[in-house]
Amino acid sequence: MTVDAFQLYGTRLVDPSPVRLRAGKLQADLTNGNLRTIRYDGTEVLRAISYLVRDRDWGTYSPEITELRIEQNDDRFEVAYLARCEGPDDTRLVIDVRIAGSADRLDFEAEAIAPSGFETNRCGFCILHPIVGLAGSAATVEHVDGEIVATRFPDLIEPWQPFKDMRAITHAVMPDVQAECRMEGDTFEMEDQRNWSDASYKTYVRPLALPWPYQIAANQPVRQKTSLVIRDISGSTRHPPGVSGGAIKLELGARTGTMPDIGVIITPEEADATLSAKSVLTEIAPQELLFHFDPGAGHGVDALRRFAMLAAAHRGRSTLEIALACKSSPSIEAAEIARQMQLAEFRPDAIMISPSVDRQSTPPGSTWPDCPPLDEIYAAARAAFPGIRIGGGMLSYFTELNRKRVPEGQLDFVSHCTNPIVHAADDLSVMQTLEALPFITRSVRAIYGDKPYRIGPSTIPMRQNPYGSRTMDNPSGARIPMANRDPRHNGRFGQAFALGYAIRVLDADLECLTLSALSGPFGLIAGPGEPTEPGGRRPLFETVRTLCQLAGATWRECVSSSPAEVLSFVATDSTGARLYVGNLTSEERKVDCSACGPTGKDSSGDLLLAPLAVAVLPLQRDVLAD
């Protein structure tokens, strides 16, 4: 099936197709000069080996690749190229790359040289281990001093680096098969990238305890090498479970729960556009309006008046999200916001309050910024907003909540956001972030127990950058990490991603989930020149409206034989039971849902899902009674 890329991604630009490299049982995909989805005998060993260069805002350079040469036969492949990065002030970095693979070994080496010096936050190899199947499993780490330690990959998400001063790490790929990843040329360490919703453990150079940005000296070569060594004592050929050329099978699982309420974020900048589209807001009928308020950005009584008008027209609840400036005492600042709310005649049902400074990340080795104690901030909120629920947590991401764990005693709920384009923005990486969400929610529950829990706003575009001075502008509609606009939010990709997100967090027993705004770059209403559904809405509109309609319904898990490709669940409300299915891939997928008992399928029991399509099928029976 051929589908217009513009409808799928909101842009006609597409990710380049990878070059499949093979050497015996070893396979890897070459994409933009780096290696992805490195498999042995069909099982993913490493998610990626990449040579990356970051700027002072942790943005990733997209180097120009020249002199590319690829040679391969049945038992060996070789790749060579030059990559050039253009930095500020006419500086440049030239990287000479060599990649070689055989049946049991992969070597990726690079030499970087800057003719006149080059500023960077990081320059070197980044190795990603997958999380599904590895979390909590055994590993052996060799340190730079030669010490060898038997350990485990973290199960719950580690706030800090689980392994430092690394030279090599070894893990079991499958019974009788071991994989050793060895790093040379510098000192490496690992961080748990699930903090950022990346579906990987990342081993990188250089240690975060060292200062950044730093200068690569002029004409001083920087040499590094990463090697993957496979030790297979079985000699047999296996095939990973669940992988075949047939249909993806869906089966009902045992877990059940209640669908969360759905929120919509509204900023002062989008308040007027939202007011103009009140009828659309009524059609969606979200349970929660989440109003963003930042006195440090100039938000005041006028913004609160607009919020009051929207809240009055809304039949659901409202929460005011406050970035407290903390330039004076929290009690004085909270009282001033309460005074402005009174003038605006705005009384939300809840307050989500967090220090403005906590939106910025404090990486390992950094000094925590000045901030009043959180207990003092929450006490000030209680005093200023009596009779209103008070929530805390982070206006940024789980990373910051995991590293600065808020005292929950004075809170009625905890909250955080996620963003899928912090480190990478290609289609595969963005969809893979869905794998990390159950680890995030399970880690939150391990910290805060059964405290009411909210997530959002969580969108593909980034609303605020905790790791640099700004989000990245994206006027050409490219796939850019940390971008404040992303074309895929406008296409069917955004719709499939949102459904997958909702499915992946079902187990968390969320109080509220916010996946969009109504208007603007995070919104449901299409802008000029964007792909639209009937009525001028982005494809995401239908998924968010559906989730709003399902709030409070009972869900039951539906286990997919290939959850990286297809996700689903069953929801039951007063109108009956339905199966909700999403194709997370850019290819047509055949899905066998006969075990769930839906109607409206073909005679074979298979459902044919178009690329990035969402389907809803009524069920013939009450699956909750099984």
Side-chain angles (χ1 to χ4, degrees), residues 171-456:
H171 75 279
V173 177
M174 58 188 83
D176 300 326
V177 179
Q178 298 281 322
E180 177 191 74
C181 186
R182 181 165 293 275
M183 297 79 66
E184 303 173 24
D186 209 323
T187 298
F188 288 73
E189 62 188 21
M190 178 183 285
E191 65 187 10
D192 194 336
Q193 278 209 131
R194 297 176 298 173
N195 274 295
W196 295 271
S197 75
D198 294 67
S200 58
Y201 303 99
K202 179 173 75 175
T203 303
Y204 59 90
V205 71
R206 63 189 205 154
L208 284 172
L210 298 176
W212 74 83
Y214 63 96
Q215 284 284 331
I216 296 176
N219 294 314
Q220 295 294 313
V222 177
R223 299 184 180 92
Q224 293 177 25
K225 181 178 180 180
T226 296
S227 299
L228 174 66
V229 180
I230 302 293
R231 299 183 180 92
D232 185 348
I233 63 174
S234 69
S236 61
T237 299
R238 292 157 292 257
H239 297 286
V243 176
S244 70
I248 294 169
K249 188 174 181 60
L250 303 181
E251 294 184 298
L252 293 173
R255 293 178 297 180
T256 65
T258 302
M259 296 292 294
D261 288 346
I262 301 298
V264 169
I265 180 73
I266 300 172
T267 66
E269 294 76 16
E270 292 295 332
D272 285 340
T274 305
L275 280 166
S276 299
K278 283 189 299 183
S279 62
V280 180
L281 190 63
T282 300
E283 181 183 351
I284 301 168
Q287 286 70 44
E288 189 86 36
L289 298 184
L290 178 61
F291 296 106
H292 177 69
F293 190 75
D294 182 1
H299 302 163
V301 176
D302 287 345
L304 294 170
R305 287 197 177 103
R306 291 180 175 86
F307 293 166
M309 294 171 65
L310 283 162
H314 178 57
R315 291 173 294 187
R317 297 179 304 277
S318 61
T319 294
L320 184 66
E321 175 190 83
I322 300 173
L324 199 67
C326 295
K327 300 299 183 184
S328 61
S329 76
S331 59
I332 291 174
E333 292 185 358
E336 172 58 21
I337 295 171
R339 185 189 70 83
Q340 294 179 15
M341 288 168 55
Q342 189 172 19
L343 288 173
E345 299 182 352
F346 176 52
R347 182 178 172 83
D349 299 283
I351 298 286
M352 162 60 191
I353 191 165
S354 182
S356 180
V357 70
D358 280 353
R359 290 181 293 181
Q360 291 304 120
S361 177
T362 302
S366 302
T367 301
W368 288 89
D370 291 335
C371 180
L374 291 177
D375 276 329
E376 181 182 342
I377 291 172
Y378 302 151
R382 287 281 181 203
F385 313 113
I388 299 178
R389 296 181 74 209
I390 302 297
M394 291 291 163
L395 301 179
S396 51
Y397 308 132
F398 170 74
T399 325
E400 287 66 56
L401 182 64
N402 202 19
R403 289 176 173 175
K404 187 175 183 179
R405 299 182 178 183
V406 302
E408 61 172 311
Q410 299 184 62
L411 297 178
D412 295 306
F413 60 90
V414 295
S415 182
H416 67 82
C417 310
T418 67
N419 182 263
I421 58 170
V422 173
H423 293 114
D426 60 278
D427 296 337
L428 179 60
S429 294
V430 172
M431 278 301 185
Q432 284 178 337
T433 63
L434 299 177
E435 293 180 12
L437 296 176
F439 293 98
I440 288 177
T441 57
R442 190 158 56 86
S443 296
V444 170
R445 285 299 182 201
I447 300 168
Y448 297 106
D450 60 358
K451 178 72 68 175
Y453 175 21
R454 302 181 178 190
I455 292 180

Side-chain angles (χ1 to χ4, degrees), residues 95-112:
I95 307 145
D96 189 354
V97 172
R98 297 287 185 273
I99 301 171
S102 60
D104 59 0
R105 186 181 180 96
L106 175 64
D107 293 302
F108 192 154
E109 51 189 322
E111 178 181 285

Side-chain angles (χ1 to χ4, degrees), residues 22-264:
R22 292 184 175 89
K25 299 178 185 178
L26 187 68
Q27 294 186 65
D29 291 343
L30 179 69
T31 304
N32 295 325
N34 293 314
L35 299 178
R36 298 290 304 268
T37 318
I38 302 162
R39 297 170 296 277
Y40 182 78
D41 201 9
T43 296
E44 187 177 34
V45 179
L46 295 177
R47 189 135 277 187
I49 304 176
S50 304
Y51 191 92
L52 301 178
V53 184
R54 310 258 195 206
D55 65 20
R56 66 181 303 113
D57 288 311
W58 293 101
T60 304
Y61 283 98
S62 297
E64 177 193 8
I65 293 177
T66 61
E67 302 180 36
L68 175 64
R69 176 176 58 83
I70 301 173
E71 298 177 1
Q72 59 177 323
N73 52 41
D74 291 342
D75 58 3
R76 185 169 179 81
F77 59 79
E78 293 185 0
V79 178
Y81 63 84
L82 291 178
R84 291 178 173 83
C85 296
E86 301 294 332
D89 303 320
D90 295 323
T91 58
R92 61 189 174 92
L93 188 71
V94 181
I95 307 145
D96 189 354
V97 172
R98 297 287 185 273
I99 301 171
S102 60
D104 59 0
R105 186 181 180 96
L106 175 64
D107 293 302
F108 192 154
E109 51 189 322
E111 178 181 285
I113 192 164
S116 58
F118 195 85
E119 180 189 78
T120 182
N121 275 5
R122 179 175 294 161
C123 176
F125 280 111
C126 172
I127 301 104
L128 304 182
H129 284 77
I131 57 174
V132 175
L134 277 193
S137 68
T140 302
V141 174
E142 179 182 333
H143 294 285
V144 293
D145 62 1
E147 181 186 17
I148 298 176
V149 177
T151 183
R152 289 186 176 275
F153 288 95
D155 183 16
L156 297 177
I157 300 174
E158 284 284 338
W160 312 110
Q161 302 97 318
F163 311 132
K164 295 183 177 181
D165 302 326
M166 296 172 65
R167 179 61 63 229
I169 181 168
T170 302
H171 75 279
V173 177
M174 58 188 83
D176 300 326
V177 179
Q178 298 281 322
E180 177 191 74
C181 186
R182 181 165 293 275
M183 297 79 66
E184 303 173 24
D186 209 323
T187 298
F188 288 73
E189 62 188 21
M190 178 183 285
E191 65 187 10
D192 194 336
Q193 278 209 131
R194 297 176 298 173
N195 274 295
W196 295 271
S197 75
D198 294 67
S200 58
Y201 303 99
K202 179 173 75 175
T203 303
Y204 59 90
V205 71
R206 63 189 205 154
L208 284 172
L210 298 176
W212 74 83
Y214 63 96
Q215 284 284 331
I216 296 176
N219 294 314
Q220 295 294 313
V222 177
R223 299 184 180 92
Q224 293 177 25
K225 181 178 180 180
T226 296
S227 299
L228 174 66
V229 180
I230 302 293
R231 299 183 180 92
D232 185 348
I233 63 174
S234 69
S236 61
T237 299
R238 292 157 292 257
H239 297 286
V243 176
S244 70
I248 294 169
K249 188 174 181 60
L250 303 181
E251 294 184 298
L252 293 173
R255 293 178 297 180
T256 65
T258 302
M259 296 292 294
D261 288 346
I262 301 298
V264 169

Side-chain angles (χ1 to χ4, degrees), residues 404-624:
K404 187 175 183 179
R405 299 182 178 183
V406 302
E408 61 172 311
Q410 299 184 62
L411 297 178
D412 295 306
F413 60 90
V414 295
S415 182
H416 67 82
C417 310
T418 67
N419 182 263
I421 58 170
V422 173
H423 293 114
D426 60 278
D427 296 337
L428 179 60
S429 294
V430 172
M431 278 301 185
Q432 284 178 337
T433 63
L434 299 177
E435 293 180 12
L437 296 176
F439 293 98
I440 288 177
T441 57
R442 190 158 56 86
S443 296
V444 170
R445 285 299 182 201
I447 300 168
Y448 297 106
D450 60 358
K451 178 72 68 175
Y453 175 21
R454 302 181 178 190
I455 292 180
S458 295
T459 60
I460 297 176
M462 177 182 274
R463 69 166 179 165
Q464 183 257 337
N465 183 4
Y467 316 109
S469 60
R470 60 186 176 88
T471 55
M472 304 301 166
D473 293 329
N474 189 12
S476 63
R479 292 162 172 82
I480 300 175
M482 302 186 185
N484 48 35
R485 291 177 179 268
D486 191 290
R488 291 165 297 189
H489 178 84
N490 311 329
R492 276 167 42 183
F493 187 102
Q495 179 184 28
F497 180 83
L499 181 70
Y501 196 112
I503 294 171
R504 287 293 198 178
V505 299
L506 284 176
D507 256 356
D509 190 25
L510 294 180
E511 180 176 275
C512 186
L513 172 63
T514 300
L515 296 171
S516 72
L518 182 67
S519 61
F522 310 101
L524 304 176
I525 301 174
E530 292 177 358
T532 63
E533 299 295 303
R537 289 82 182 269
R538 290 168 170 146
L540 177 62
F541 180 98
E542 191 58 39
T543 292
V544 171
R545 181 172 61 176
T546 296
L547 292 172
C548 290
Q549 294 168 345
L550 290 176
T554 300
W555 62 265
R556 180 170 174 178
E557 73 169 326
C558 199
V559 180
S560 170
S561 63
S562 183
E565 298 176 287
V566 172
L567 287 175
S568 67
F569 72 104
V570 170
T572 303
D573 59 16
S574 60
T575 64
R578 291 175 177 81
L579 176 69
Y580 297 82
V581 189
N583 180 1
L584 307 182
T585 77
S586 59
E587 304 292 333
E588 194 175 66
R589 287 291 179 264
K590 182 183 289 186
V591 182
D592 177 5
C593 45
S594 58
C596 303
T599 60
K601 305 182 284 73
D602 63 27
S603 58
S604 70
D606 288 338
L607 168 69
L608 200 59
L609 272 179
L612 297 169
V614 171
V616 182
L617 301 174
L619 298 186
Q620 295 173 319
R621 56 194 171 94
D622 180 4
V623 298
L624 296 178

